[in-house]
Amino acid sequence: MPPGFQKRFDSIGRTLRQHPLLFAFIVLALVARIIFWIYTHRVWEDALITLTAARNVWEGYGLTHHAAEPRVHSFTSPISVLIPILAEWFHAGLIALRVSSLITSVAAIFFAYRIGVLLAFHWAAQVLVLAYLACDQLQIFFGMTGMETQVVTAVALGVLYFFMRRAWWSLGVFSGLATISRPEFILFLLPPIGIALLVFHRHAILKVLTPALAIAVPWYGFATLYYGSPIPNTIVAKSESFRHGFFTTSWDYMWRFTVESWRDYVPFKEFRIADQAPLPDLVLKSIGLTLLLFFIVGLFVSAKRGSGLVVGGIAVIGFGLYRSTMVLNSYYMWYLPPFLALAFLVAAYGLSQLARRMPQLTIVLGVTLALSYALHLPFSMPLDKKVQKKIEVGVRLKAGRILNAMMAEKDTVVSESLGYIGWAAFNKTIFDYPGLGSKVSVRAVKKMAVPTLAELVDALQPTYVVVRPHELDYLQRNFPATAAKYEVAAHVQPSSAVRLANRGYVYSEMDTDFRILRRTRDFEQVVRP
């Protein structure tokens, strides 16, 4: 073996001996994710919306969802399309996203571990935060189903780590990455970092700002020139459909939303489509409350001691207030993991304070909480495998393929479901609701008093419509004249009955029934003489 390689292997061996906990959880994270990938083959709907735009680059239509509407900013996170865009030339964009999630899961665990070393975490507190990052359901699921979640979690932890290390150039690089990771980072993570630099580290501002701008400016300059605005069309579409702004709903409504959101932070039920969990709600609420108490303790102690960890806590609080005052739909659960990773760090710091007086209780609580976030693995993976086979492929993808065969070049379709359908009915004109990939839909939604899929159908009168049973009922009930213009061209259901339950863990049975409506020939003759 060459001497250079021998030295490197010796160095790795020393590191393994010095930090066995770090490498144990790195291995655990990689094994859990690879098993999930191979066993479930799960692909999240929204990942395909982004991949469709990446595929269109190599088809010659530009970075847009479908050719009929060029230059539509149909993805929220720039980094989510920059990662797969080159690989999609070889039709390997999804693989690139999954591999990037594997790599950044290692980075996330490394940053969290090093922060724990900087703050002298008790080993049980390290186990808590590392187990969450390695095994949590949302951390594994979204990263390995094609979303940018794992990448941006590593970016968030990297920002905090390099700030605490006062590694200013590295902080600048990760701050730049944060600007193209998630819009929430620009609103809630980077401002407290910037304020801390301005107040305590003015000498470092240029060192941080230079690499940050070098990463951020090219993308936002391109987006402004190419799309006409740096604001993604997805954000515009969601804001027009939900129509919730800061404090636009009543205090009572916001409070109820906040209280009921407990499920978004606890094992099993953090996955929003989960109806039932193997553990009682009382146990799950106790887990959430315990973590909240440790978060408060950790935030207080870090603020008292002037620890840089307080910046992460402030970012978590800011995001939490935003989520409650905006009444952010709990379905968008992939927004949570980066901020929850920061919250777990603060909570772990709080748990470490307990170790000084009650070390045995610290070990029990740390290990128990850690196990609670890993417990889902044998319960969730069989369900995700079934969802992929029976629903994603058996219904959504099948509906897209049927549409692809039916639709002519000038035909249009309205559908809420965009990912699988848009991937299979490639470059067919899809006016999705609320308009993630379509400016035509967004313009129509803006004019509606109460936006719904049915009203979009009534406004656009597309050639085809893809509806679930409740959407069809609403269309027939509220827009009977428009509904009468359509006939059922296809009825798409799973090949056999679907029961999404596994030993007490139950998923909602979503999208097991699609009807494809086609505008009748009599109406075609009226509108197209």
Side-chain angles (χ1 to χ4, degrees):
M1 182 181 292
F5 283 100
Q6 184 64 52
K7 289 181 179 179
R8 181 163 294 182
F9 278 113
D10 290 344
S11 175
I12 292 172
R14 285 194 301 272
T15 306
L16 281 168
R17 288 191 297 272
Q18 292 169 359
H19 304 281
L21 198 63
L22 168 64
F23 280 90
F25 279 101
I26 285 176
V27 171
L28 180 59
L30 292 175
V31 169
R33 284 157 176 76
I34 291 170
I35 291 174
F36 179 91
W37 179 357
I38 296 172
Y39 178 69
T40 71
H41 301 287
R42 195 83 158 82
V43 182
W44 188 245
E45 164 89 351
D46 289 60
L48 292 177
I49 300 175
T50 299
L51 282 171
T52 300
R55 182 166 59 166
N56 258 330
V57 171
W58 303 109
E59 295 292 330
Y61 298 112
L63 195 56
T64 193
H65 185 269
H66 48 269
E69 293 189 70
R71 302 192 178 189
V72 175
H73 198 326
S74 55
F75 47 91
T76 304
S77 169
I79 210 167
S80 70
V81 79
L82 293 174
I83 290 171
I85 199 167
L86 290 178
E88 194 52 36
W89 186 17
F90 305 100
H91 305 290
L94 182 59
I95 293 175
L97 284 163
R98 283 169 161 160
V99 170
S100 71
S101 291
L102 289 175
I103 294 169
T104 51
S105 70
V106 174
I109 288 172
F110 172 79
F111 291 139
Y113 178 80
R114 292 304 302 171
I115 291 171
V117 171
L118 288 174
L119 297 175
F121 278 11
H122 185 276
W123 69 264
Q126 284 279 33
V127 166
L128 170 59
V129 68
L130 298 183
Y132 168 76
L133 290 170
C135 300
D136 174 67
Q137 188 170 1
L138 301 190
Q139 293 283 351
I140 294 174
F141 182 90
F142 286 112
M144 298 313 297
T145 58
M147 299 292 282
E148 74 281 356
T149 305
Q150 188 70 77
V151 177
V152 302
T153 298
V155 168
L157 291 171
V159 167
L160 183 60
Y161 172 66
F162 290 120
F163 173 74
M164 294 179 68
R165 281 286 311 274
R166 301 186 181 183
W168 305 126
W169 288 100
S170 297
L171 174 60
V173 170
F174 272 74
S175 295
L177 292 173
T179 65
I180 60 171
S181 292
R182 293 291 320 168
E184 295 83 22
F185 288 177
I186 299 173
L187 295 173
F188 307 111
L189 177 60
L190 296 181
I193 292 286
I195 292 170
L197 289 173
L198 191 62
V199 175
F200 301 109
H201 308 288
R202 289 191 186 91
H203 65 282
I205 290 176
L206 189 60
K207 293 179 182 179
V208 175
L209 207 55
T210 301
L213 292 177
I215 294 172
V217 169
W219 170 259
Y220 287 103
F222 164 77
T224 302
L225 293 173
Y226 190 77
Y227 295 114
S229 170
I231 300 174
N233 187 66
T234 53
I235 292 178
V236 178
K238 290 172 185 176
S239 63
E240 290 295 337
S241 59
F242 292 118
R243 298 194 177 170
H244 288 168
F246 289 109
F247 301 103
T248 55
T249 57
S250 68
W251 284 103
D252 179 64
Y253 188 81
M254 285 188 287
W255 174 250
R256 282 188 286 110
F257 171 83
T258 303
V259 171
E260 291 168 5
S261 291
W262 66 268
R263 58 168 292 150
D264 300 334
Y265 309 105
V266 300
F268 294 105
K269 289 200 172 181
E270 63 180 336
F271 197 59
R272 189 57 186 171
I273 64 173
D275 278 344
Q276 298 177 30
L279 297 177
D281 281 0
L282 180 60
V283 173
L284 297 177
K285 288 179 180 179
S286 298
I287 291 170
L289 182 60
T290 302
L291 285 167
L292 177 61
L293 291 174
F294 281 127
F295 175 83
I296 293 170
V297 172
L299 185 66
F300 175 79
V301 175
S302 60
K304 184 178 179 180
R305 296 177 180 173
S307 166
L309 187 62
V310 73
V311 171
I314 291 170
V316 172
I317 292 171
F319 178 76
L321 291 173
Y322 155 78
R323 190 169 184 267
S324 292
T325 57
M326 289 282 288
V327 193
L328 190 65
N329 193 327
S330 294
Y331 178 77
Y332 300 116
M333 48 199 153
W334 55 91
Y335 296 175
L336 291 173
F339 291 96
L340 283 179
L342 297 174
F344 266 78
L345 273 171
V346 179
Y349 190 45
L351 177 63
S352 284
Q353 310 312 307
L354 183 66
R356 297 182 177 184
R357 297 187 177 183
M358 292 178 279
Q360 296 302 319
L361 180 59
T362 299
I363 294 170
V364 170
L365 288 174
V367 173
T368 301
L369 291 171
L371 287 174
S372 72
Y373 280 88
L375 187 60
H376 72 92
L377 288 166
F379 295 88
S380 62
M381 284 196 190
L383 293 181
D384 288 322
K385 180 179 182 179
K386 187 181 290 187
V387 169
Q388 183 64 28
K389 181 180 179 181
K390 292 285 191 177
I391 297 175
E392 306 294 51
V393 174
V395 178
R396 290 183 193 255
L397 191 63
K398 185 178 178 181
R401 288 170 175 165
I402 291 171
L403 269 174
N404 191 54
M406 287 180 173
M407 292 179 70
E409 182 180 353
K410 294 184 178 180
D411 287 339
T412 60
V413 59
V414 164
S415 170
E416 186 279 331
S417 183
L418 180 62
Y420 277 92
I421 287 175
W423 182 258
F426 184 50
N427 271 327
K428 298 301 191 288
T429 303
I430 303 177
F431 300 140
D432 72 285
Y433 177 82
L436 304 182
S438 171
K439 289 186 177 181
V440 172
S441 292
V442 170
R443 286 195 294 268
V445 167
K446 282 182 178 180
K447 299 175 183 178
M448 299 175 188
V450 182
T452 62
L453 176 73
E455 192 158 349
L456 187 63
V457 173
D458 183 63
L460 299 182
Q461 302 282 315
T463 317
Y464 292 91
V465 181
V466 179
V467 285
R468 303 169 177 89
H470 72 274
E471 292 168 339
L472 178 58
D473 291 343
Y474 190 90
L475 177 66
Q476 292 172 334
R477 188 169 61 253
N478 292 278
F479 301 95
T482 296
K485 298 171 184 175
Y486 291 87
E487 61 185 3
V488 177
H491 189 185
V492 187
Q493 292 179 300
S495 56
S496 58
V498 179
R499 171 63 174 159
L500 299 177
N502 180 32
R503 292 177 285 180
Y505 196 28
V506 181
Y507 285 178
S508 302
E509 295 176 14
M510 299 175 61
D511 292 353
T512 56
D513 190 330
F514 277 161
R515 285 175 176 82
I516 300 176
L517 311 181
R518 178 174 52 209
R519 204 166 52 196
T520 62
R521 291 184 178 180
D522 290 340
F523 183 64
E524 290 284 334
Q525 293 171 358
V526 173
V527 297
R528 294 185 193 173

